[in-house]
Amino acid sequence: MNIPFLSFEPQHAPLRDAMTAAFSRVYDSYWYVLGEEVKQFEREYAAFNQVAHTVGVANGLDALVLALRVLGVGPGDEVIVPSNTYIATWLAVTQVGATPVPVEPDPATSNLDPARIAAALTPRTRAIMPVHLYGQACRMTEIMALATQHNLYVVEDNAQSQGAAFAGGLTGSFGHLNGTSFYPGKNLGALGDAGAVTTNDAALAHKVQVLRNYGSQQKYYNEVVGYNSRLDELQGALLRVKLPHLPEWTRQRQQVAAWYDQHLAGIPNLHLPAVAEGATHVYHLYVVHTPQRAALQQHLTAQGIGSLIHYPVPPHLQQAYQALGFAPGSFPIAEELANTCLSLPMWPGMTEAHVAAVADVIRAF
Ligand SMILES: Cc1ncc(COP(=O)(O)O)c(C=O)c1O
């Protein structure tokens, strides 16, 4: 059985007519940037994420950059980031001129460990960026309490976790400003690059709106040095077609994860994803850990089963971050997770037969 790492087919094939109708609507409107589609999508996504405001932007990285910029985080400031995130979280901090300060994750969940944050705080710390990695919500109650206690901003990186929750609150609704990504492979994916900032603060939302549009409210009058980072009308219209299906797609991802949990139980040296108490997981990725990662991946490939590594090199060991002076051993938990993680096929529409076939191949290995 050939099982790809990701197939869009079950999500996209049934929506073909609705998506092409949305395309035609935008095409015929003769209005392609910052119009009604983006406005409506922002309202609909805010309702979905249970926040007062959504501001559509060009991609997830920009969402994080604009959030930090609006909060005034910049040169001389330190921002707490996970040691094991996708590099975009760190890049956002660097791009506003601040310094990323890595904190190790809980190895069981791969998510930022709130108990380790306090030790990394200095008088220069301005913000904490929790990343709900792989789709599991971070322990936001503790993180928000710590932020309040130390007068810090929180910017959630919600790129992988639309619809996840901690203690009943949705990810992307806790922080002062939060970023998400609608990159095609994300749980809610556009047909190209797209992202959004979410917040409950009207004044901050307004500042993001100005900053994404050249720092301008009135055409050709610029109040601040802004960006061109707008969500396209076309992507807004297409995302509006997909958004109502996200809860059902999430339910299917959770069902696929439950099947994996069952079918992979008890295999020696194979660690399955753990979910923290109070957290929900929307399984953007189903990530296992094994010391025999390279051989297992080769074996899966040989049997026609896709897999990927998220991520092979932690940010502190990337060439891009050489100047920070970290070395192998600086963040041993992140390094161990990077050396042992393997993401198995995960997409809405996968069947139990697919999962059982993947599990059989792993068990045979
Ligand atoms: C955790 C995380 N943060 C940020 C991003 C950046 O999103 P984008 O690719 O839309 O810029 C991504 C996805 O690529 C991500 O996985």
Side-chain angles (χ1 to χ4, degrees), residues 58-62 64 85-86 88-89 131 133 157-160 180-183 186 193-195 284 311:
N59 57 63
L61 172 58
D62 279 7
L64 299 174
T85 181
Y86 180 58
T89 322
V131 181
L133 200 67
D157 181 338
N158 199 31
Q160 303 189 356
T180 194
S181 164
F182 306 120
Y183 180 78
K186 295 295 195 263
D193 278 310
H284 172 56
Y311 300 93

Side-chain angles (χ1 to χ4, degrees), residues 47 51 65 91 103 118 157 174 202 220 224 250 260 270 300 302 335:
V51 287
V65 170
L91 291 178
V103 168
D157 181 338
F174 291 92
Y220 306 130
V224 287
T250 297
Y260 270 129
L270 188 78
L300 286 165
E335 292 166 28

Side-chain angles (χ1 to χ4, degrees), residues 142-166:
E142 291 155 89
I143 292 171
M144 294 310 294
L146 206 64
T148 305
Q149 186 190 342
H150 295 276
N151 200 22
L152 303 172
Y153 290 122
V154 171
V155 174
E156 292 170 72
D157 181 338
N158 199 31
Q160 303 189 356
S161 48
Q162 293 124 2
F166 189 84

